[in-house]
Amino acid sequence: MRAFEYSHRASFVSSVPVTAPSSPSIAQLRERIDSGLLRERHRLRRALERAQQSGNAAELHTLAERIEQSQAQVHARLQALPEVTYPE
């Protein structure tokens, strides 16, 4: 069962785009938060709400970079998982 979980996670990571479009919309940023680190999701959602209320484009750009970094960390961690093998 562990091998299935690993292969499932690896396919999930490969389907997540790591690079961001030049000017993502609020909806796109909100969707991308869910593919980042779990511990950062709440903080990123709050930052997105503040940026949306302020309407500051520079703040949205900075937030998009933070989301991209979080996604890259998830990708790196999942790539670093050892392959599960069982002795025969």
Side-chain angles (χ1 to χ4, degrees):
M1 186 154 143
R2 182 98 168 124
F4 169 75
E5 291 173 5
Y6 174 73
S7 64
H8 175 70
R9 285 184 287 193
S11 65
F12 170 75
V13 171
S14 64
S15 67
V16 174
V18 176
T19 58
S22 60
S23 59
S25 70
I26 299 291
Q28 289 171 332
L29 290 175
R30 188 174 291 120
E31 289 176 14
R32 289 175 46 206
I33 287 174
D34 288 332
S35 62
L37 290 170
L38 181 62
R39 70 178 182 206
E40 293 181 349
R41 289 179 188 173
H42 179 72
R43 187 174 338 136
L44 291 171
R45 283 188 188 108
R46 296 283 308 262
L48 181 60
E49 289 174 13
R50 285 191 303 274
Q52 185 177 8
Q53 289 173 356
S54 72
N56 186 348
E59 193 174 343
L60 283 174
H61 180 69
T62 303
L63 182 59
E65 289 176 352
R66 287 175 50 197
I67 293 170
E68 184 176 338
Q69 289 172 352
S70 183
Q71 288 176 317
Q73 286 179 317
V74 169
H75 181 74
R77 286 183 180 186
L78 290 175
Q79 292 300 316
L81 286 175
E83 185 175 333
V84 179
T85 59
Y86 296 99
E88 293 184 36

